[in-house]
Amino acid sequence: MTLPPAPQGWGQDEVTGFLDSVRGNSFATYEQLRPQFQRPIAIDGAYRTLQKNLFNTREWFAAFFLLRAHSNFLAAVNLASGGQFPESFAVLRSSLESALYGLYLCKNPDSRRTWLERHDSDEHKKRVRDEFKIGTMLGLLQSVDRREGEIAQTLYDRTIDFGAHPNERALMGSLGMNEDPESFHFTVIYAGDEPIQFQHALKTISQVGVCVLGVFKLVYRERYDLIGLSDTLRQLRAGL
């Protein structure tokens, strides 16, 4: 796809200048970390294969959450490749949560109505808050597949540590400091350029992407087997 020329005035303000900066980071990430970048590309292909083969499924409601999880996955790739590491972990958390919601509503179809009526009243909102707790949904996943549940818990905790909450690792990983004879100067880096951070983010993106696909296999197990996605998933897990 050929990109159109930039519109008049683009890059002449702080916002569009920043967008150009992170886009340049994305180009560099793709070029310099090409092997690491290929895995998210392959995982994206698995998402798209599944989406194209979900016609006539009884679990059509869970597909909404699959699409949301995939969209968050792509957002994480975009943010991380541009150097916005804490932000990428925030949307990875959202991707995991979408998968957990999809599984939960598959196993508890009567709860769809509760979820859909969230904004009908304060009482309905309270019902949703009481029922749809992440701990509850992680517990359900572990009861269905203990290993997948343990992986999801580990990854969920990591997203919290590195950006989904304003925790120490999220801040310190983006903190810069300059010293002169009279003072210290602290900066928070909006778009980082440390190779190890790019590698860490890309690996976590791949791990979350595969974990989410593993959760949805518990929803669409027969479909996975039928279209060969179970074998693909095993291959994608290798080395993660």
Side-chain angles (χ1 to χ4, degrees), residues 74-238:
L74 291 173
V77 174
N78 182 45
L79 290 165
S81 65
Q84 295 182 268
F85 306 121
E87 293 78 9
S88 71
F89 282 92
V91 293
L92 285 176
R93 174 193 178 187
S94 183
S95 186
L96 285 166
E97 289 182 349
S98 290
L100 293 171
Y101 271 72
L103 177 65
Y104 184 85
L105 289 167
C106 167
K107 299 299 184 182
N108 299 278
D110 290 342
S111 295
R112 296 176 186 177
R113 182 167 183 172
T114 303
W115 183 81
L116 288 168
E117 293 177 345
R118 172 187 173 92
H119 297 288
D120 285 4
S121 69
D122 289 342
E123 177 60 29
H124 284 87
K125 187 176 292 187
K126 183 178 185 302
R127 289 178 191 171
V128 173
R129 288 199 301 264
D130 289 344
E131 179 174 355
F132 291 86
K133 295 179 179 178
I134 293 302
T136 300
M137 291 187 281
L138 281 166
L140 171 64
L141 174 57
Q142 291 199 24
S143 72
V144 177
D145 187 313
R146 184 180 62 83
R147 180 57 178 156
E148 200 70 72
E150 291 173 349
I151 293 170
Q153 180 72 70
T154 297
L155 291 171
Y156 191 81
D157 290 344
R158 191 190 305 170
T159 67
I160 296 292
D161 287 340
F162 283 94
H165 282 183
N167 287 330
E168 176 269 335
R169 287 181 174 176
L171 175 61
M172 294 304 174
S174 61
L175 195 65
M177 184 183 73
N178 295 310
E179 180 180 0
D180 61 39
E182 297 182 354
S183 62
F184 292 99
H185 300 276
F186 293 99
T187 57
V188 173
I189 301 166
Y190 285 16
D193 59 3
E194 289 292 329
I196 192 169
Q197 289 184 301
F198 282 106
Q199 294 171 15
H200 178 239
L202 287 174
K203 183 168 185 178
T204 302
I205 286 168
S206 295
Q207 291 171 328
V208 168
V210 167
C211 179
V212 167
L213 286 169
V215 173
F216 280 106
K217 182 181 177 181
L218 303 173
V219 177
Y220 302 110
R221 188 182 301 275
E222 292 182 1
R223 195 66 56 104
Y224 270 61
D225 292 340
L226 182 64
I227 64 177
L229 200 55
S230 294
D231 291 336
T232 300
L233 185 56
R234 280 193 291 272
Q235 294 167 10
L236 291 172
R237 288 188 191 276

